[in-house]
Amino acid sequence: MPSIVFASPKGGAGKSTSAVVLACELARRGAAVTIIDADPNRPVSAWARRPGRPEGLEVIADVTEETVIDAIEGAAARVPFVIVDLEGTASLTVAYAISRADLVVIPSQGSQLDAAEAAKAIRLIRQQEKAFARRIPHAVLFTRTSAAIRPRTLQHIRSEFDAHGVPALQTQMHEREAFRAIFSFGGTVDGLNPGQVSGLEGAVRNARAFAAEVVAMLRPAQPSGIPAESMA
Ligand SMILES: Nc1ncnc2c1ncn2[C@@H]1O[C@H](COP(=O)(O)OP(=O)(O)OP(=O)(O)O)[C@@H](O)[C@H]1O
Ligand SMILES: [Mg+2]
């Protein structure tokens, strides 16, 4: 079943945060999810040791460049969603994980310097597409953006990606206290205490929209020529 790989050579781009938020939201909808924690710093495993990890969400750690492909394929044979969190550098582990992805999400904060780092990830994906002679769906995810304002720079960067044929998710991961708090308190955004964390409702809505858009991207394209009503 599909594997969703979070990749960017930029440290701190929002890979682990977005990966955990997506996994929790899929688990909340009732799906079994495996996160493969392929970052040697093991941020997702540290989160999973805290209380509140959803039922049906397992974390596999101790993954190395020798084992990452087997780990992805083994999990994909068992569960409907596999999510891979990678370290913020270029490595063989990163290249192998991308080679097995059904969707690569490239988190990027909305600055030109961050966009240049995202472009490196996209070049690597395109190399892997050539090496494995298959299309590897991918999209940029803007992270830590403001929920209140839409800066010109972000719109400019989005249009530059667009001009180079690089899709970006409509949903952004806004800068939210809740997305930091789950790594302190453990568990999911839904499980946080509104008395302790501000802006919770907005974070929950953001998580729902993000997961819905990712799931829609994973659906195989409907065959053309078939009337929509007969697809129901
Ligand atoms: N949407 C968000 N809202 C608020 N804080 C965020 C958000 N996304 C990430 N952060 C914060 O930014 C920092 C980096 O995020 P994160 O660890 O997810 O990035 P990363 O790409 O996994 O980094 P690395 O390359 O080091 O693995 C963390 O302190 C995290 O709490
Ligand atoms: Mg990380």
Side-chain angles (χ1 to χ4, degrees):
M1 291 302 200
S3 48
I4 305 151
V5 171
F6 284 79
S8 164
K10 175 88 181 7
K15 295 177 288 292
S16 304
T17 304
S18 309
V20 168
V21 168
L22 175 64
C24 288
E25 179 56 20
L26 294 171
R28 190 196 63 83
R29 291 165 160 221
V33 185
T34 296
I35 308 185
I36 296 178
D37 184 0
D39 179 344
N41 296 314
R42 307 281 176 246
V44 178
S45 308
W47 165 80
R49 280 194 297 273
R50 296 183 187 276
R53 173 165 54 96
E55 254 180 63
L57 193 163
E58 78 169 341
V59 176
I60 297 180
D62 302 322
V63 176
T64 64
E65 74 183 37
E66 284 85 33
T67 61
V68 68
I69 290 179
D70 288 342
I72 293 173
E73 290 187 344
R78 283 184 290 110
V79 295
F81 292 102
V82 181
I83 292 174
V84 185
D85 183 41
L86 292 164
E87 64 185 311
T89 59
S91 69
L92 270 180
T93 304
V94 173
Y96 289 152
I98 288 173
S99 79
R100 286 299 182 275
D102 295 287
L103 175 65
V104 183
V105 177
I106 307 143
S108 176
Q109 296 180 31
S111 79
Q112 203 67 46
L113 295 173
D114 288 78
E117 292 293 310
K120 284 187 198 163
I122 291 153
R123 282 199 291 278
L124 177 57
I125 293 165
R126 291 186 171 161
Q127 276 307 117
Q128 295 302 81
E129 286 185 319
K130 281 188 203 155
F132 290 86
R134 74 170 187 102
R135 204 173 72 81
I136 303 174
H138 55 277
V140 171
L141 169 68
F142 291 109
T143 58
R144 306 195 70 175
T145 52
S146 163
I149 51 166
R150 300 178 58 190
R152 282 268 175 82
T153 34
L154 187 59
Q155 290 170 40
H156 175 70
I157 292 165
R158 192 184 271 278
S159 61
E160 277 194 339
F161 277 129
D162 202 39
H164 288 91
V166 178
L169 288 158
Q170 278 304 317
T171 313
Q172 302 169 16
M173 287 293 283
H174 292 307
E175 174 77 29
R176 294 280 187 195
E177 171 63 18
F179 296 144
R180 276 192 294 275
I182 51 173
F183 286 87
S184 304
F185 298 118
T188 70
V189 171
D190 291 81
L192 290 169
N193 179 346
Q196 268 177 321
V197 181
S198 63
L200 213 47
E201 262 181 39
V204 166
R205 270 200 310 277
N206 196 161
R208 303 265 197 280
F210 173 43
E213 193 176 356
V214 167
V215 168
M217 287 186 81
L218 291 168
R219 281 201 196 107
Q222 295 186 343
S224 59
I226 300 175
E229 56 271 26
S230 68
M231 306 281 300

